[in-house]
């Protein structure tokens, strides 16, 4: 049995459960999913500031997961906050849900569109497209203009808006697939794929399959070069946590 740690970088317990359930639905029978979120930080991540706050929480969880001996880590927020820093701290593979979804989308369609929550986070997705080299594959970026935690309020409004956002993207962009731009949308992909008749990809499930594949191939984070362990130095204050072995 191998254990994959799935980190929801915001502090919403409800969204951590949604993400954990989607990860378990995608996981192989011999994969155990450990769904966690930081004890403190932002209840939702809706911009650069929230991401900066969430990143420390992500790194604390990665260190704790490494010490618990997990086989790999998933950062389940569409901004992939702290991904490269997390790779420095990790022994096993670390995959972000944005990069996982984008990689998988380009394997089933020449061009994909992204449907996310708030307009202000579109630039974060645009930066990742460029960073990961998928700008040419992205036919459009769309926001449903609802806050992240609307996905957990039980009204169904956010889910309806995501559906409408997908229909609109397919009509306007001429794309062949949709990438869901929020960890909290992880439970929507399969139904949307059936309803829309095109691949709708959630990064949580995509990342679970990628980490499983990397672990099965015994491929882990390279400790050669920029992802080598952080150079030891006495971190101070609240960061002393990272000094302890
Ligand atoms: C996420 N925020 O996946 C991002 C989505 C977004 O708290 N989890 C969050 O809109 O950027």
């Amino acid at each position: 049995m191998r254990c994959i740690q799935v980190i929801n970088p915001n502090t919403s317990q409800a969204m951590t459960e949604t993400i954990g359930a989607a990860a378990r639905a995608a996981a192989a029978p011999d994969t155990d999913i450990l769904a966690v979120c930081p004890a403190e930080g932002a209840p939702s991540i809706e911009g650069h500031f929230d991401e900066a706050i969430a990143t420390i929480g992500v790194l604390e969880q990665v260190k704790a997961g490494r010490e618990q001996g997990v086989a790999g880590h998933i950062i389940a927020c569409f901004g992939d906050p702290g991904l490269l820093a997390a790779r420095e701290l990790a022994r096993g593979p670390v995959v972000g849900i944005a990069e996982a979804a984008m990689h998988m989308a380009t394997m089933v369609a020449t061009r994909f569109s992204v449907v996310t929550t708030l307009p202000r986070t579109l630039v974060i997705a645009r930066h990742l497209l460029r960073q990961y080299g998928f700008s040419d594959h992205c036919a459009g970026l769309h926001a449903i203009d609802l806050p992240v935690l609307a996905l957990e309020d039980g009204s169904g409004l956010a889910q309806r808006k995501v559906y409408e956002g997908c229909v609109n993207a397919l009509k306007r962009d001429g794309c062949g697939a949709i990438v869901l731009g929020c960890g909290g949308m992880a439970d929507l992909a399969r139904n949307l794929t059936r309803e829309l008749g095109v691949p709708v990809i959630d990064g949580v499930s995509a990342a679970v399959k990628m980490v499983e594949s990397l672990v099965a191939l015994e491929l882990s984070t390279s400790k050669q070069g920029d992802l080598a362990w952080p150079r030891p130095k006495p971190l101070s204050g609240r960061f002393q946590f990272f000094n302890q072995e």
Side-chain angles (χ1 to χ4, degrees), residues 13-239:
Q13 275 302 336
M15 192 165 284
T16 304
E17 271 140 43
T18 300
I19 289 169
R24 288 185 191 95
D30 60 348
T31 294
D32 192 21
I33 296 291
L34 174 64
V36 297
C37 67
E40 50 186 29
S44 61
I45 299 161
E46 298 170 328
H48 309 293
F49 175 77
D50 296 344
E51 278 208 344
I53 299 283
T55 294
I56 298 301
V58 166
L59 298 179
E60 287 171 347
Q61 292 299 324
V62 168
K63 183 169 182 284
R66 185 190 77 204
E67 288 166 358
Q68 288 164 10
V70 302
H73 315 260
I74 292 171
I75 299 177
C77 168
F78 201 73
D80 294 353
L83 181 60
L84 294 178
R87 285 180 175 155
E88 283 189 57
L89 272 186
R91 183 170 289 107
V94 185
V95 172
I97 64 170
E99 76 171 332
M102 292 175 186
H103 274 288
M104 223 168 243
T106 57
M107 295 174 193
V108 293
T110 310
R111 289 167 55 84
F112 63 85
S113 293
V114 175
V115 175
T116 188
T117 55
L118 290 171
R120 66 178 293 163
T121 67
L122 292 173
V123 66
I124 295 175
R126 195 168 287 117
H127 287 171
L128 290 182
L129 285 164
R130 196 175 310 128
Q131 184 185 335
Y132 299 147
F134 291 121
S135 301
D136 294 346
H137 291 274
C138 185
L141 289 166
H142 305 271
I144 63 172
D145 209 4
L146 283 177
V148 168
L149 293 181
L151 289 157
E152 296 295 337
D153 71 8
S155 70
L157 172 62
Q159 286 72 9
R160 273 200 305 284
K161 287 258 188 170
V162 171
Y163 174 80
E164 291 159 10
C166 294
V167 170
N168 173 45
L170 289 167
K171 224 182 294 163
R172 282 180 46 191
D173 303 346
C175 58
I178 301 281
V179 163
L180 297 178
C182 181
M185 295 175 185
D187 56 342
L188 306 178
R190 287 180 190 248
N191 288 342
L192 287 169
T193 296
R194 264 192 295 275
E195 288 162 10
L196 298 167
V198 299
V200 176
I201 297 143
D202 97 79
V204 172
S205 309
V208 167
K209 301 324 280 182
M210 286 186 179
V211 171
E212 285 180 336
S213 305
L214 290 164
V215 171
L217 295 170
E218 295 178 6
L219 295 173
S220 55
T221 301
S222 171
K223 290 302 161 190
Q224 216 40 48
D226 67 308
L227 301 178
W229 304 111
R231 284 170 50 75
K233 61 197 70 174
L235 302 174
S236 57
R238 58 166 301 161
F239 301 107

